[in-house]
Amino acid sequence: MEESTVVILLIAAVAFFMIGLAKGGLGATSATLAMPLLALVMPVSVVIGMILPVLMLADIIAVGFHWRRWSNRLLVLLIPGALSGVILGTYFITNVPPDVLRTALGIIILLFAAYKVFESRILGLFTYHPRNWHGVLAGSTSGFISTLAHTGGPPIGIYLLMQEVPPRTFVATSAMFFMILNWIKVPFYFYAGIFDLERLRQIIWILPMVPLGVWTGKQIVVKIDPKVYERIIVAILSVSALLLIFKD
């Protein structure tokens, strides 16, 4: 096996483990780290296609944990917008040069990191009055960002928080939304030609890193200060995003 392949597989194993940690209770910020890590060693379009099956596996685990606890009403508002966001995101992927796509990924990740730093201040800036079209807007924004970088969590998180749903409903609705969203992406990714089947065959044997990450996350979530953990991940995200933006 070539040295470059070994490096890619090692980074992929870490990335998949981080996705598992997120599903195990350590927060979506962990999963967000997977994209920029892999994008440092391979084209962004390849990474997008590689990460999707892993996320779909993690979705099954997350939805299973919160089976039938989601809000059907909120999902009905979110999904149509998500479809439009995926369509727009696919158009973007298929019509921009690889360097622009990599830079766009870096900017999205950097904005995500900034949001996590100022999240409480952002949410406290306005008084919210719920409208049905807000769900469509949140779904479409999340669908677009998620299609490009698998980081569509903030729009959905903000929207669900504003609905003042119980914590279990919040988590379950988010999990079900992203499972549906990721399945919506599949035919569009095939259309865009970003599924590298050979690369996917190479990573099959490291997929157990996802459930291992879930198990590890559930073990340490009660032992670690979540704020300290998130700060560390946000710092790593910021560095990774800057490396992507300024990569030669």
Side-chain angles (χ1 to χ4, degrees):
M1 187 179 294
E2 296 181 2
E3 183 178 352
S4 59
T5 302
V6 173
V7 172
I8 289 172
L9 290 177
L10 287 174
I11 293 177
V14 173
F16 296 175
F17 184 74
M18 298 302 293
I19 291 172
L21 285 179
K23 299 299 182 181
L26 287 179
T29 312
S30 300
T32 305
L33 188 57
M35 273 291 294
L37 282 178
L38 284 168
L40 292 173
V41 294
M42 64 179 70
V44 171
S45 59
V46 174
V47 176
I48 294 172
M50 177 188 292
I51 290 289
L52 182 59
V54 183
L55 291 173
M56 293 171 75
L57 172 62
D59 288 337
I60 294 172
I61 298 172
V63 169
F65 282 156
H66 306 286
W67 185 249
R68 301 183 70 177
R69 299 282 186 168
W70 52 80
S71 167
N72 289 320
R73 182 184 69 83
L74 294 178
L75 287 173
V76 167
L77 295 175
L78 290 167
I79 297 303
L83 175 59
S84 66
V86 171
I87 293 172
L88 183 60
T90 303
Y91 177 83
F92 189 88
I93 289 173
T94 54
N95 287 277
V96 301
D99 288 349
V100 175
L101 189 58
R102 189 191 68 238
T103 302
L105 171 63
I107 292 172
I108 290 172
I109 298 297
L110 204 56
L111 288 173
F112 178 88
Y115 163 76
K116 295 306 294 184
V117 171
F118 299 106
E119 182 175 16
S120 59
R121 297 181 185 179
I122 292 172
L123 295 178
L125 287 177
F126 55 90
T127 301
Y128 180 71
H129 302 286
R131 300 287 187 274
N132 286 343
W133 65 267
H134 295 170
V136 179
L137 178 62
S140 59
T141 304
S142 180
F144 176 74
I145 298 173
S146 185
T147 302
L148 296 182
H150 298 308
T151 56
I156 299 304
I158 292 172
Y159 174 72
L160 292 179
L161 279 175
M162 295 296 97
Q163 308 312 304
E164 298 184 351
V165 296
R168 188 73 183 272
T169 304
F170 177 101
V171 175
T173 303
S174 179
M176 177 54 78
F177 170 79
F178 282 106
M179 186 171 82
I180 295 171
L181 173 60
N182 286 333
W183 275 102
I184 290 174
K185 293 178 195 173
V186 172
F188 290 94
Y189 278 17
F190 270 113
Y191 167 78
I194 61 175
F195 279 126
D196 187 332
L197 297 181
E198 178 58 34
R199 187 78 71 180
L200 290 174
R201 281 194 291 269
Q202 289 180 345
I203 66 168
I204 285 176
W205 67 276
I206 57 176
L207 285 179
M209 294 300 292
V210 177
L212 177 61
V214 173
W215 181 84
T216 304
K218 289 177 69 66
Q219 299 303 310
I220 66 176
V221 70
V222 296
K223 301 177 182 178
I224 189 171
D225 185 333
K227 291 185 178 180
V228 173
Y229 175 80
E230 185 166 278
R231 287 170 187 161
I232 294 171
I233 298 299
V234 166
I236 298 173
L237 274 175
S238 301
V239 173
S240 301
L242 290 172
L243 289 174
L244 285 174
I245 293 171
F246 297 106
K247 185 178 179 182
D248 293 331

